[in-house]
């Protein structure tokens, strides 16, 4: 069943619901691109996804390292304070967050779309888990050699955490590239909107129908960069990257 | 020389500023438009050069959320064009500007009977209706011809028929191996459809505009629900009603798997499917009046429409401009520009030459029988709708007997008003 | 406890963002549960919302539904993803990459496409699932029309969504276990099963904890799947706490009550996640 769903998704992406491939046509793509600012939308999605992912990876690695390898007062409490943010329904936060972000003057801006999404408790959690498997001896040795905190982080932790960074990047990009709700809420002009939102507006026909062809074409466009990103980061998953990573 | 240049710039700048100051900016939100509608907006801009119309298009599924958020932040749009089911919520919340001062004596006469009342909340007329779709009853005439019962179908005038004839046609279609009708009780949209079947037995959701009490659990209502359940059991309609939504139902309809139906606005989809080879023929949908059992008066026309509304809290200048635009949306010019073959007019005086035969029939019926009350104006419209569907689900799933389900529904509705 | 002052600097950026964009709205959101709140109205009612919530006949059903979905999802998802990851782990790099890619696919197909496809899959008359079942001689199941199967449908759908990323994560963790460990164990005479339980499991425990906790927390928060597939039905069978929050807040504008449900959810999830983490992390100390 699981495999079946993969195949289905693949077929449905290219084909009208009857699952017979009709004469393939580029008409949908042409319609989409000519009549709508698809390029701008893609650019926006790119800006948002890349910024959020980069910021998120950085913030998460920093915090994850601290929670994993450092001892400090309030560590437990602070860690759980962060995790608590995952435990409240999104809709409970939505309205206050919207009003607040608007008050900050970030309505219809890139900052408004990007900043709230950077913090991800899940990423910090994952970073922490991963980094607990890093050998403490390595860090101690470096410190004895006179390395500063920053140096330890940049030259030891980061290289060892390549698989982690790869994972965070992929999932981060995936989530933020197709982000729909928040960018929709926080923008008011078509020129600020991201690709997934743009596709939905483009595929609308009178009478609440959807032009399936255009919708599919759009969906493919949205999926494409995610394929590419994934393929790029695949190499970090290859068996064998074990540079002193396991304790003991 | 430089001084003169600077002064000249200042003068021009001031001039432009003054000119710009003449333009009133109104923010307008609606769902993504098609070519025709975009053209209409342009036309309005040309006709009203003193208004700067700024449009924002939001996917229909998110429109409600966005307006809600805007309201919580205290900055709603100036004009909104959206479905009545959603705009009535804003009206009930007291966010909409009353519009009755824009109506003339003729208007009161001209609007479809019941339209003004259904667009008034709290004693004020608050929304201009437009884009009306009719939820009467339609029969796939092609199938009837195949089954040899096309002659049983009602004809002009009035296209009236009895419940008995209706069942005869249904039996014939069933004989062809196709479901005569279908019910759905899953999702919250398409509420008018199931209510149509209740109406056939004489039961309606509310009576006389009293929203504090539902009348769906009347004897007629129980009878109607029981009939529907029996129909499913006897194979007249697809099983699994509690899990089917209007989308599933439309999907079956456009594949020619259901013979009779509550509305025909999926005609465009039918054409599309025919073009793509998904179905072999485009059914000839024939609108008829609602079949009804003995002793029931002529049922009203259930309709769904969109509205153009104006939000409160604008300056006098903006308000005037907003009202002008909203009036335009709700007026005859815009109606003429859209001229879809089944788009009913909101006023009786509008020209309907462009309408299909079905469209003309619907207009006639609505003008005479008036618009049915689906409870849009109730402050608890959505809650009631959800509760209604739960009751239907429970009945179709066999969890409760129809009478029990409907009575519980009535109790729940009453509780909302406490 | 040794005090590593630099730690505070490291966690500063995270807390900065969290405070501004999460803690503040969170606080406001939770605070709202003490009010009877409409769109722009507010009236202090103390704990009335909680009392109303507790006496609602829907209350226990919501909780029951939530737990059924959570347990079902966690067990199914964790078991399946671990199993598949271990199976793939033995294969060559190339094949691994291929499968990784294949499982990544569903995660990409989001939005309109997904909802249409999944509703079609569960359709009783012409859906994919019943078609496959009919091939095995099983009569059609009315997935979304019956409470139990509707919940199962939600679980299945969300499971496939999460499967891809979890498999990838497990694979990454499995790949990080050095061969030398297995070698040493083999030399010592340990068989495959022993190697699995005494080496593999403990060494991928950090990852397992992560996946377990996030899946659990995520399962409590499922909303979009329900909205798309069942609209909380049939007869409230798939209405969980989060869905009720949405319904009360965004459909009925009863924001105070919605917030009360949010607090309820927090109070349920926190102890569970906390103890999951504690218990399993303790096992890690070796």
């Amino acid at each position: 069943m699981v495999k079946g769903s993969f195949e289905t998704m693949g077929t449905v992406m290219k084909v009208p619901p009857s699952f017979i491939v009709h004469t393939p046509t580029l008409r949908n793509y042409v319609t989409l691109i000519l009549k709508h600012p698809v390029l701008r939308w893609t650019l926006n999605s790119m800006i948002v996804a890349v910024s959020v992912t980069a910021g998120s990876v950085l913030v998460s690695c920093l915090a994850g390292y601290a929670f994993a390898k450092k001892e400090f007062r309030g560590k437990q409490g602070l860690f759980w304070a962060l995790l608590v943010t995952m435990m409240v329904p999104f809709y409970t936060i939505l309205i206050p967050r919207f009003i607040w972000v608007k008050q900050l003057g970030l309505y219809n801006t890139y900052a408004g779309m990007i900043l709230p999404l950077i913090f991800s408790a899940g990423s910090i959690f994952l970073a922490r888990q991963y980094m607990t498997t890093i050998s403490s001896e390595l860090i101690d040795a470096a410190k004895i050699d006179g390395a500063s905190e920053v140096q330890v982080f940049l030259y030891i932790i980061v290289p060892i955490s390549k698989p982690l960074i790869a994972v965070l990047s992929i999932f981060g990009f995936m989530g933020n590239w197709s982000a729909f709700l928040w960018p929709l809420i926080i923008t008011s002009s078509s020129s600020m909107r991201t690709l997934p939102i743009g596709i939905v507006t483009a595929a609308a026909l009178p009478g609440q129908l959807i032009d399936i062809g255009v919708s599919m074409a759009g969906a493919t466009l949205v999926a494409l960069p995610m394929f590419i990103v994934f393929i790029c980061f695949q190499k970090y998953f290859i068996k064998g990257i074990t540079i002193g990573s396991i304790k003991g | 020389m430089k001084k003169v240049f600077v002064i000249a710039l200042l003068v021009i700048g001031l001039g432009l500023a003054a000119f710009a100051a003449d333009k009133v900016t109104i923010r307008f939100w609606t769902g993504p438009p098609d070519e025709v509608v975009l053209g209409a907006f342009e036309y309005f801009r040309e006709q009203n050069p003193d208004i700067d119309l700024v449009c924002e298009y939001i996917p229909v599924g998110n429109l409600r959320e966005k307006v809600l958020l805007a309201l919580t932040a205290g900055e709603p749009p100036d004009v909104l064009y959206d479905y009545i089911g959603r705009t009535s919520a804003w009206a009930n919340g007291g966010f909409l500007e009353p519009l009755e001062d824009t109506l003339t004596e003729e208007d009161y006469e001209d609007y479809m009977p019941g339209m003004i009342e259904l667009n008034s909340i709290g004693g004020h007329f608050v929304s201009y209706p437009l884009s009306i779709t009719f939820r009467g009853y339609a029969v796939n005439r092609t199938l009837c011809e195949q089954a040899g019962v096309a002659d049983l179908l009602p004809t002009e005038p009035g296209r009236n028929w009895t419940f008995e004839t209706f069942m005869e046609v249904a039996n014939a279609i069933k004989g062809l191996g196709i479901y005569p009708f279908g019910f759905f009780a899953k999702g919250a949209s398409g509420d008018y459809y199931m209510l149509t079947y209740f109406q056939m037995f004489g039961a309606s959701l509310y009576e006389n505009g009293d929203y504090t009490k539902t009348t769906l659990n009347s004897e007629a209502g129980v009878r109607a629900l029981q009939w529907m359940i029996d129909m499913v059991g006897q194979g007249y309609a697809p099983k699994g009603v509690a899990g089917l939504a209007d989308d599933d139902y439309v999907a079956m309809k456009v594949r020619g798997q259901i013979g009779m139906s509550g509305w025909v606005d999926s005609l465009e989809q039918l054409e599309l499917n025919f073009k793509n080879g998904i179905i072999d023929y485009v059914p000839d949908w024939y609108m008829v009046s609602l079949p009804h059992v003995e002793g029931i008066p002529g049922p009203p026309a259930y309709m769904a429409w969109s509205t153009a509304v104006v939000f409160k809290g604008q300056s006098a200048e903006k308000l005037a401009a907003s009202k002008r635009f909203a009036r335009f949306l709700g007026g005859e010019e815009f109606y003429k520009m859209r001229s879809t073959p089944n788009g009913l007019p909101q006023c009786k005086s509008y020209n309907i030459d462009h309408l299909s035969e079905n469209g003309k029939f619907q207009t006639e019926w609505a003008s005479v029988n008036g618009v049915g009350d689906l409870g849009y104006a109730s402050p608890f419209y959505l809650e009631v709708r959800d509760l209604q569907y739960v009751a239907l689900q429970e009945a179709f799933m066999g969890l409760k007997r129809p009478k029990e389900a409907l009575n519980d529904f009535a109790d729940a509705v009453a509780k909302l008003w406490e | 406890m040794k005090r590593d002052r630099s730690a505070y600097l490291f966690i500063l950026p995270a807390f900065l963002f969290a405070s501004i964009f999460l803690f503040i709205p969170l606080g406001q959101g939770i605070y709202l549960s003490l009010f009877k709140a409409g769109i722009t109205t507010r009236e202090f009612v103390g704990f009335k919302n909680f009392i109303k919530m507790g006496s609602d006949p829907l209350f226990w059903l919501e909780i029951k539904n939530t737990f059924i979905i959570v347990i079902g999802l966690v067990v199914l998802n964790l078991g399946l993803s671990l199993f598949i990851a271990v199976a793939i782990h033995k294969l060559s790099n190339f094949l691994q990459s291929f499968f990784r890619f294949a499982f990544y696919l569903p995660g990409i197909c989001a939005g309109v496409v997904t909802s249409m496809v999944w509703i079609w899959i569960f359709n009783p008359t012409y859906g994919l699932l019943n078609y496959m079942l009919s091939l095995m001689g099983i009569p059609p199941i009315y997935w979304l029309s019956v409470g139990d199967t509707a919940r199962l449908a939600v679980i299945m759908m969300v499971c496939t969504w999460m499967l891809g990323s979890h498999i990838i994560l497990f694979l990454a963790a499995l790949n990080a276990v050095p061969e030398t460990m297995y070698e040493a164990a083999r030399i010592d005479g340990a068989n495959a099963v022993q190697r699995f339980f005494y080496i593999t499991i403990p060494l991928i425990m950090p990852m397992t904890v992560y996946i377990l906790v996030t899946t659990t927390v995520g399962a409590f928060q499922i909303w979009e799947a329900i909205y798309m597939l069942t609209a909380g039905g049939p007869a409230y069978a798939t209405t969980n706490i989060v869905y009720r929050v949405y319904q009360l807040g965004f459909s009925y504008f009863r924001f105070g009550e919605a917030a009360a449900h949010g607090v309820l959810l927090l109070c349920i999830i926190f102890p569970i996640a906390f103890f999951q983490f504690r218990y399993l992390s303790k096992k890690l100390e070796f």
Side-chain angles (χ1 to χ4, degrees), chain A:
Chain A
M1 186 269 286
V2 163
K3 290 275 172 56
S5 68
F6 303 147
E7 290 157 15
T8 320
M9 302 241 188
T11 3
V12 169
M13 287 272 279
K14 313 273 183 247
V15 142
S18 61
F19 302 109
I20 311 165
V21 184
H22 292 260
T23 45
T25 163
L26 285 178
R27 188 179 58 87
N28 288 323
Y29 287 95
V30 173
T31 320
L32 198 56
I33 296 180
L34 284 186
K35 287 213 274 185
H36 300 273
V38 171
L39 222 56
R40 182 67 203 252
W41 289 336
T42 315
L43 181 67
N44 290 336
S45 278
M46 212 35 112
I47 294 177
V48 172
V50 171
S51 311
V52 177
T53 308
S56 171
V57 170
L58 183 64
V59 169
S60 303
C61 284
L62 284 171
Y65 171 53
F67 282 117
K69 287 285 152 198
K70 294 180 182 291
E71 298 297 329
F72 54 98
R73 253 235 291 242
K75 178 162 128 165
Q76 279 279 23
L78 287 170
F79 183 62
W80 282 100
L82 287 181
L83 285 201
V84 159
T85 58
M86 285 200 294
M87 300 178 190
V88 183
F90 175 66
Y91 278 98
T92 312
I93 300 185
L94 185 61
I95 296 187
R97 181 190 275 184
F98 173 73
I99 298 181
W100 174 230
V101 172
K102 204 152 196 271
Q103 278 175 347
L104 289 175
L106 298 178
Y107 188 66
N108 207 37
T109 61
Y110 283 116
M113 281 197 277
I114 295 173
L115 295 180
L117 299 180
I118 288 187
F119 176 80
S120 160
S123 300
I124 297 181
F125 188 11
L126 185 62
R128 180 212 180 264
Q129 296 303 91
Y130 181 86
M131 291 188 179
T132 50
T133 64
I134 297 179
S135 153
S136 296
E137 279 109 36
L138 225 57
I139 301 175
D140 294 337
K143 287 216 187 128
I144 292 175
D145 279 351
S148 72
E149 289 291 347
V150 177
Q151 284 173 323
V152 168
F153 184 74
L154 284 179
Y155 298 116
I156 299 188
I157 306 294
V158 170
I160 289 185
S161 309
K162 285 224 182 82
L164 170 73
I165 295 182
V167 166
L168 287 179
S169 302
I170 290 187
F171 292 148
F173 186 79
M174 205 166 93
N176 292 299
W177 173 260
S178 50
F180 189 86
L181 193 60
W182 182 256
L184 173 63
I185 287 175
I186 206 72
T187 57
S188 62
S189 48
S190 174
S191 58
M192 288 296 287
R193 297 224 161 120
T194 58
L195 195 57
I197 302 173
I199 300 296
V200 173
T201 47
L205 286 180
Q208 294 199 302
L209 293 173
I210 302 179
D211 184 341
I212 308 237
V214 171
S215 167
M216 299 287 184
T220 319
L221 280 181
V222 173
L224 220 52
M226 295 203 271
F227 282 143
I228 298 175
V229 165
F230 187 80
I231 294 175
C232 287
F233 279 94
Q234 270 269 41
K235 61 180 177 178
Y236 291 106
F237 292 121
I238 305 301
K239 231 195 273 212
I241 300 187
T242 57
I243 318 162
S245 55
I246 301 301
K247 210 192 264 208

Side-chain angles (χ1 to χ4, degrees), chain C residues 2-284:
Chain C
K2 197 169 57 139
R3 284 225 255 139
D4 190 340
R5 290 246 170 72
S6 66
Y8 294 111
L9 278 175
F10 275 85
I11 64 173
L12 186 65
F15 268 92
L16 208 62
F17 281 105
S19 306
I20 300 180
F21 296 106
L22 260 138
F23 291 142
I24 293 182
L26 196 63
Q28 289 175 325
I30 293 183
Y31 183 54
L32 205 58
S33 62
L34 299 173
F35 290 79
K36 178 174 169 140
I39 301 182
T40 44
T41 59
R42 205 146 295 190
E43 186 197 320
F44 187 78
V45 286
F47 288 112
K48 224 151 145 220
N49 285 330
F50 291 95
I51 298 176
K52 198 167 178 192
M53 176 172 77
S55 51
D56 189 351
L58 208 50
F59 181 62
W60 291 110
L61 184 59
E62 277 171 61
I63 295 185
K64 171 181 143 194
N65 290 337
T66 307
F67 273 97
I68 291 179
I69 292 179
V70 168
I71 295 175
L73 184 65
V74 170
V75 169
L76 187 65
N77 188 278
L78 226 66
L80 210 57
S81 55
L82 185 57
F83 179 71
I84 295 180
V86 168
I88 296 181
H89 177 57
K90 303 283 196 282
L91 303 172
S92 70
N93 269 333
F94 176 73
L95 277 179
Q96 272 197 36
S97 297
F98 170 73
F99 277 110
R100 246 202 297 270
F101 194 64
F103 284 109
Y104 177 63
L105 277 185
I108 301 186
C109 310
V112 176
V113 185
T114 324
S115 55
M116 278 184 351
V117 171
W118 281 98
I119 292 181
W120 167 75
I121 290 181
F122 288 114
N123 186 292
T125 325
Y126 51 83
L128 181 67
L129 208 51
N130 277 351
Y131 173 67
M132 289 183 3
L133 288 177
S134 70
L135 291 179
M136 298 193 278
I138 302 177
I141 300 180
Y142 292 92
W143 292 100
L144 304 180
S145 320
V146 178
D148 291 325
T149 49
R151 283 187 283 259
L152 188 60
V154 172
I155 293 176
M156 288 199 285
M157 181 164 86
V158 180
C159 187
T160 45
W161 286 355
M162 291 178 155
L163 213 56
S165 52
H166 290 172
I167 290 177
I168 292 176
L169 286 174
F170 270 131
L171 267 181
L174 285 170
N175 280 341
V177 176
E179 268 304 306
T180 49
M181 287 284 205
Y182 290 120
E183 288 297 325
R186 222 172 279 138
I187 292 173
D188 279 351
N191 63 25
V193 176
Q194 284 172 319
R195 285 203 300 273
F196 183 73
F197 279 102
Y198 290 111
I199 298 187
T200 316
I201 299 263
L203 286 178
I204 62 170
M205 195 51 96
M207 184 60 80
T208 310
V209 169
Y210 170 77
I211 294 184
L212 179 66
V213 173
T214 48
T215 307
T216 309
V217 174
F220 274 104
Q221 305 267 28
I222 293 176
W223 175 78
E224 198 170 348
I226 297 178
Y227 183 72
M228 274 206 288
L229 202 62
T230 62
Y236 294 126
T238 54
T239 301
N240 63 359
I241 299 179
V242 176
Y243 191 79
R244 192 76 177 135
V245 169
Y246 172 80
Q247 204 178 42
L248 284 171
F250 281 71
S251 287
Y252 306 158
F253 300 150
R254 281 148 52 177
F255 292 108
E257 294 178 56
H261 280 79
V263 174
L264 171 72
L265 192 66
L266 178 59
C267 294
I268 293 181
I269 298 184
F270 187 82
I272 293 181
F274 189 74
F275 284 114
Q276 272 181 337
F277 187 79
R278 273 309 193 111
Y279 178 68
L280 289 169
S281 292
K282 270 211 168 55
K283 279 190 132 191
L284 189 50

